[in-house]
Amino acid sequence: MDEEIRKKFEAIEKRISILEGSSKKEDIILQENSPDEIFEEHDGKIVVTQITGETPKEKAKNIVLLSLLGYKQKLGELDVHASKLRENVAIHQIPLENFGTWVKELSPQSVIKKGKRGSTKITYKLTTFGEAKAKNLLKEMLANGKTE
């Protein structure tokens, strides 16, 4: 009985190490390709240069995810001030009046909001799921070349 359990654990550990290895390789590929094609750094701020999405709502949500990923990858910032994200959305001429509602739809699964409603010190942070979602979006953009 113990031998059978040990073999099952070894098989699970082997699968986990394979999955972790492929995930790390993907991260390295994304980090090598994405900064120059999707993100630019200007005065300590990340600017998303290419976007994807059908509607302004989709575009804004994608910009938020990509911005948060860019800040994390390029500048090492985990918590990003809401004004930086709003700026990124505004650069692409997407109306900001529904920004809060759109970002709220990403919460709590993809992003975590810190700060009180109406505060000028609100920050956002990617969750693990949100990071994976942003990386998949980035991967699709790089593979398809579908951007605006």
Side-chain angles (χ1 to χ4, degrees):
M1 184 77 158
D2 289 337
E3 184 66 25
E4 187 178 318
I5 292 172
R6 187 181 61 74
K7 286 182 181 181
K8 285 183 180 179
F9 274 124
E10 286 175 356
I12 290 170
E13 285 178 351
K14 185 177 178 182
R15 280 188 255 155
I16 288 172
S17 67
I18 290 169
L19 289 172
E20 284 177 342
S22 67
S23 174
K24 288 176 185 172
K25 287 176 193 171
E26 258 181 24
D27 286 351
I28 291 168
I29 291 167
L30 283 177
Q31 285 179 349
E32 288 173 356
N33 294 331
S34 62
D36 298 333
E37 295 183 37
I38 307 294
F39 310 119
E40 284 184 16
E41 183 183 347
H42 292 288
D43 301 324
K45 292 182 182 179
I46 295 295
V47 177
V48 177
T49 57
Q50 298 179 28
I51 60 170
T52 185
E54 298 291 320
T55 64
K57 177 182 176 177
E58 266 184 61
K59 290 177 185 178
K61 289 165 80 172
N62 290 341
I63 290 169
V64 167
L65 289 172
L66 290 172
S67 296
L68 289 169
L69 182 64
Y71 274 100
K72 183 174 182 176
Q73 282 186 348
K74 288 193 82 168
L75 301 178
E77 289 183 33
L78 299 180
D79 295 326
V80 180
H81 200 276
S83 64
K84 292 178 181 179
L85 299 175
R86 289 176 68 90
E87 248 178 70
N88 244 328
V89 171
I91 287 170
H92 294 284
Q93 300 175 343
I94 297 170
L96 293 173
E97 51 265 4
N98 293 320
F99 176 80
T101 306
W102 294 337
V103 174
K104 194 175 188 178
E105 290 178 12
L106 292 171
S107 190
Q109 193 174 22
S110 298
V111 298
I112 297 171
K113 177 182 174 183
K114 294 181 184 177
K116 293 182 181 178
R117 187 172 177 225
S119 171
T120 58
K121 297 178 182 176
I122 292 175
T123 61
Y124 291 96
K125 177 183 179 178
L126 273 179
T127 62
T128 305
F129 179 80
E131 186 173 349
K133 192 173 176 179
K135 285 178 181 178
N136 284 335
L137 178 64
L138 188 59
K139 208 182 329 175
E140 285 176 27
M141 289 173 69
L142 291 169
N144 299 337
K146 287 179 85 176
T147 57
E148 290 182 10

